[in-house]
Amino acid sequence: MPHPAISRAEAFCDSYGLRVPILMAPMAGACPPELAIAVAQAGGMGACGALLMDRGGILDWTAKVRTATNGAFQMNLWIPDPEPARDAAHEAEVCAFLGQFGPEVPVEAGDVTPPDFDAQCQALLDAGPAAVSSIMGVYPPAFVAELKARGIKWFATVTTVGEAREAEDAGADVIVAQGAEAGGHRGTFRAEDAEANMVGLFSLLPQVVDFVDVPVVATGGIGDARGVAAALMLGASAVQVGTALLPSDEAGIAPAWSDLIRGLYPEGTRPTRGFSGRLGRAVRTAYVEAVAKPGAPAPAPYPVQRGLTGEMRAAATQNNTIDGLQAWAGQSAGLARQAPAGEIITDLWDGARRLLLP
């Protein structure tokens, strides 16, 4: 008789036409169609972080993935924050500080406008993925109703038990429990709570499982088969991995970023607001450490800080230099290896099954 954890995972797979209970994290800026295709062809679920995409970009991404695979994929959006409070004098200080790590930053770089959220939501409905996921909050009721009318499942990312209950009450079909070990942005519903609610995955996961009645996907710090097996043992129906896929052949990230990830110790990352104004876990580069030092100007709120750091991030990527590079990484980054994404997915599941089977 199969292990209960395997039976639960297989039931989740059956619901979404998967062979492997492993989802690709929807990493905005690091989710090319080629990566999602490779994950889907290995039996997992591909993903797209559509935060910065307009309607055309969303539909183009989905078309490319559909031409290469029949596999399911998820499309992800951030729930918008309130309008940020602006402070011209403080932003000028941030610009001067950023100039130490990249090109000179004009103050108007902070005058950024995110893509129209309502238009993005409509594009997601028109794209018709198997699942639409959220981070930083819950979708408006009208959009949730449209998802359900079209048979599109809603995967809601949460960072606390309270958020999980809020998301389930709002109609989420699946809860994605994000531990504080996760690389990239912290999915806290209220930006100001992010530092205070840094709950590790293996504390968060079993309690979320106990408090909700929908399947739970575990994400954050899952870097090898042992992590997959442990998450399933704690009640997850599937896992979601991001950093583990970044050094893959298909991810296409800057070589300096990929090189940093492999062999990185857990203490080689830290949470920072320095890139976007929203808290995220990144490699401890000279810039990330400088932002945290006493006397450094506090990052501007999202999305102002994202705009101000745009030229620094772009120059670092172009020049393949680590200082100034937005090198997101989770605490299990050192377990990642360079290999085809499909091989990574297959090995994660095969190894987990060997650990769980008698």
Side-chain angles (χ1 to χ4, degrees), residues 77-82 115 117-118 120 135-136 138 140 189 278 302:
L77 288 178
W78 284 24
I79 306 304
D81 284 338
F117 179 69
D118 291 336
Q120 288 179 314
I135 193 168
M136 316 298 190
V138 297
F189 285 13
R278 267 283 196 165
Y302 178 86

Side-chain angles (χ1 to χ4, degrees), residues 134-138 154-168 172 174-180 186-189 199 201 204 208 212 216-217 219:
S134 59
I135 193 168
M136 316 298 190
V138 297
W154 172 24
F155 291 15
T157 303
V158 307
T159 63
T160 67
V161 174
E163 290 176 355
R165 301 181 78 169
E166 184 178 340
E168 184 181 35
V174 172
I175 298 297
V176 181
Q178 184 198 45
R186 188 91 179 113
T188 312
F189 285 13
V199 184
L201 179 63
L204 176 66
V208 169
V212 301
V216 179
V217 172
T219 192

